[in-house]
Amino acid sequence: MAPSFEDGNSVFEFVVRRGNGVKGLVDSGLSKVPEAYVQPPKERIDKENAVKHGLPPIDLSKLDGFGPDHDEVADQIVKAAETLGFFQVVNHGVPLHLLESLKDTAHYFFSLPPQRKAVYRSDVSPSPLVKYGSSFMPEKEKALEWKDYILMQYTNDDEALQHWPQEIKGVLLEYLRSSIGMVKKLLQVLLGNFGIKPDDPMIDVLIGKKMLSMNFYPACPNPDLTVGVGRHSDMGTLTVLLQDGIGGLYVKMEQDMDYGKKGDWIEIPPTPNALVINVGDMLQILSNGKYKSAEHRVRTTSTSSRVSIPIFTMPKETTKIVPLSQVVKKDGTALYREFDRNSVFEFVVRQGNGVKGLVDSGLSTVPEAYVQPPEERIDKENAIKYDLPPIDLSKLDGHGPDHDEVANQLVRAVETLGFFQVVNHGVPLHLLESLKVSAHEFFSLPPQRKAVYLADVSPSPLVKYGTSYIPEKEKALGWKDYILMQYTNDDEALQHWPQEIKEILLEYLRSSTGMVKKLLQVTLGNLGVKPDDSMIDVLIGKKMLSMIFYPICPNPDLTLGVGRHSDIGTFTVLLQDEVGGLYVKIEQDTGYGKKGDWILIPPTPNALVINVGDMLQILSNGKYKSAEHIVCTSSTNSRVSVPIFIMPRETTKIAPLPQVVEKDGIAVYKEFVYVDYMNKVFANALDGKKSLDFAKISPA
C-alpha cells in the first residue's frame, strides 16, 4: 500500500528534508498528486489552447563566414531576441552524441538511491558548489513544483572535478566547454546590433558566472493540476537549454506576432539536435529593454518522465549592470537604473566586513540599504521606560510567602508584557562583565577572522557569522553584526565554536540553565502542570547562543538594529550592556502603558532580561505573551548583547497543553512539529508576530 501524503508536513519531510525528491513520491506508488503540489487555477497551463512555436531553428554554422548568409542569420537572432526572447539553434558546436549522453546521464543520476543524491542537500552538501533539491524554494512556495534538480556552480575545471558529483561531472564539463564558443558568438551578434564590438574581456565579464543544472520532472498522475516550474524569467545573460523529446516548455508572448498575440503562451517543442537559447534579465537591462527576458514555465506529463539540462550564464557578481551607453544615447533615456552588486551588499555581506566594516570605513551617512520605511521606525522620545524593579530569583529557592510572591511576579510578567528582568539569577556577575568585554573584542577582530564563519564557507554548521537577519530578503537591512552558535554538547562546542569566545559562552550557558528550569517550573506550574526533568529537557532541548554587535550609527533615527519580531523558542535569556536600545510592544493595557505602545527595557546593573518565546505562548494557549520587540541604534556608542535562545528539540510536537485547553474549552493553536515552525520563520524576513499565524487555528 502506498503511503499517504495528504499532510503537507509529511510531504515536506519526505520530499525535501529526507531528500527523496518528487521521484521518491512517484516511486512510492501514489495515485494522485498531494495537495501541496496542486497549483491555483490561474497558475496552471492550458496546454490545449497554447500556440506551438513553428519557426525553424537557426543554423549557427552560417555565422562562421561573412556575407549574405552571416547577415541573414544575425538578423534572425536579433529578431528572436527582440520579440519572443527564445529561439532554437542547430549546428551549435556541441557534439550531437554529447546531447544524447547528457539526457541518458540525467536519467541515470536521478535513478540513483535517494541517499546518494541527498548528500548534496543544501544543509549538508560537502561543497557550496553543489546543491540537490526539489521545487524552487519549497519553504516559501504556496504550491510546490513537480521537479527535482542537481545544481552546480562552475568556478574552474579543477574545482568542478573535485566537487561535482562523480556520476555527472565529466559529461557536464564537456557540455559547458563546447557551449561557451556558441554563447560568445551570440553575444557578439546581439551586442554588435547596437554598434558594439565586444572584446573577450567584456564578454568574459558578462558570462563570468556559470551554473549548470540537471532537472528531472517525474511522470505525474495529475499533470493538469501541477507545474514542473512556475512562471519566471532567468536572471542572467543567456541561458542554453537542452530539452529531451518529451517537451513541456512554454513561453509567454510579450507582443503580438505572426504566430500569436500578446499574453498567449507558446510551446517551444523539442527539435532534434537543437538547443534552446533564451535571453536573461541582464541582457534585457543591457539592451535597455530591446531584448526580451521572457516569462516561461514547464508543464508536467502523465506518460513519461522528462529531463532538461540548462547552462545559466551570468555576469560576474561584482559587475555594475546598466543599460549600454550606446543604446541609451540612441533611445534618449535609460529605462533601468544602475545597480552595483559590489556595493553595500558585496562589502558588508559577501566579503564579511559587516556593518562594523562600513563604520570603520569612515562613512558619514547611512547607506540607502539601511534606511527603514517610516512605519518601521519608532518614536524613541515618546516611548515609555519600563520601571518595574527586577525580580529577585533567590527567593524562589525556599517556600513560603517570599517564594509565592516572586512566583506571582513572574506569572504576571509573562501574562502581560512577556518581558522582565531578573537578578540573583545564578550567573556570576564577573562572567556578565567578561561576556560584554569578549563580545567587543571578538567584533574588533580583522574581518577575515570573522568571515571564515560566513554561512556559505563556515567550517561547521554549528557556527554562523553574518549581518542583519536574512539580508537577501529584507527590504531594509538591520544595523548589526552577529556570531551565532548552536549547542549540541560541550565537546562539539569546544571543537567548533570560535576559539576566542567558546569557553566563556559555555560557562554562560551552563550557569543559566538552572535558572531557565526554575522559570519553567513556575510558569508551567501556574497552568496546573508539574513538569518533570524529562519534559523540561524536551522544551529546552535546543539551545543557540549569539553575540550581537550594533556599531555606532551616523543616522540612528533612520535605522534599526533588529526589526520587529518575536522569538521563536521557549524562553530567551538576554544580557544587554549599558547602552540600551531594546523596545517591546505592549499587547494589552497595563499600569505602565496602553496596548500598542512601545516600552524601553532599560539596562539594569547585574540583571538579565528574560522574554517569553512563541512556543511558550502556544503551550499556554495564549495566556503567556511572546512580545514583539525591536532594537534601536545609537550615534554615541556601539552596543553588544548576548542572548541564549532556548527552544524545544526540533522533533517535538508542539500544541497547547491539555490542562489549559480543558480549562479554556478550546485550543487556539494547532499541533505541529517544531522544525516546521522554524523552517517557516527562517524562510522569511522579520515581520512582527506573523510567524504565529502558522500555528493558529482559523475560526470555522
Side-chain angles (χ1 to χ4, degrees), residues 459-476:
S460 169
L462 303 182
V463 186
K464 177 186 175 184
Y465 167 72
T467 186
S468 197
Y469 176 64
I470 305 179
E472 296 82 2
K473 298 179 182 178
E474 293 166 320
K475 293 178 181 176

Side-chain angles (χ1 to χ4, degrees), residues 234-417:
D234 290 350
M235 59 181 276
T237 305
L238 285 174
T239 299
V240 178
L241 175 72
L242 169 64
Q243 55 174 344
D244 64 10
I246 307 298
L249 173 62
Y250 289 77
V251 180
K252 191 175 184 180
M253 296 173 63
E254 291 204 2
Q255 59 192 62
D256 292 345
M257 287 180 273
D258 295 340
Y259 43 82
K261 63 183 186 299
K262 181 178 179 179
D264 283 347
W265 286 91
I266 184 167
E267 182 179 7
I268 308 294
T271 299
N273 305 330
L275 290 168
V276 178
I277 307 295
N278 66 276
V279 172
D281 294 346
M282 295 306 101
L283 190 53
Q284 177 165 327
I285 292 168
L286 289 164
S287 71
N288 205 33
K290 292 281 191 299
Y291 300 148
K292 309 303 180 188
S293 176
E295 195 173 324
H296 54 287
R297 54 188 180 177
V298 176
R299 67 167 168 83
T300 58
T301 174
S302 61
T303 55
S304 305
S305 295
R306 174 183 185 263
V307 294
S308 68
I309 302 101
I311 301 173
F312 304 103
T313 66
M314 295 170 269
K316 292 178 179 175
E317 293 181 348
T318 56
T319 306
K320 288 184 178 181
I321 301 295
V322 66
L324 293 161
S325 57
Q326 295 89 334
V327 189
V328 174
K329 184 177 180 181
K330 184 177 180 182
D331 293 348
T333 185
L335 300 181
Y336 304 93
R337 64 178 177 84
E338 178 179 283
F339 61 94
D340 181 5
R341 298 188 69 180
N342 192 30
S343 56
V344 171
F345 196 88
E346 177 70 23
F347 180 83
V348 174
V349 179
R350 288 206 196 88
Q351 295 176 7
N353 290 287
V355 182
K356 186 177 187 298
L358 271 185
V359 174
D360 290 347
S361 72
L363 87 170
S364 57
T365 60
V366 166
E368 189 66 28
Y370 290 90
V371 175
Q372 296 287 332
E375 65 271 17
E376 296 298 329
R377 308 171 203 167
I378 69 166
D379 182 1
K380 291 176 281 188
E381 298 303 318
N382 293 315
I384 303 162
K385 183 173 281 190
Y386 182 85
D387 58 3
L388 293 182
I391 299 172
D392 184 351
L393 294 188
S394 66
K395 296 179 180 179
L396 280 180
D397 294 336
H399 296 279
D402 284 350
H403 175 280
D404 295 346
E405 179 188 351
V406 169
N408 288 334
Q409 290 173 0
L410 292 172
V411 169
R412 194 178 317 118
V414 298
E415 286 181 340
T416 53
L417 188 62

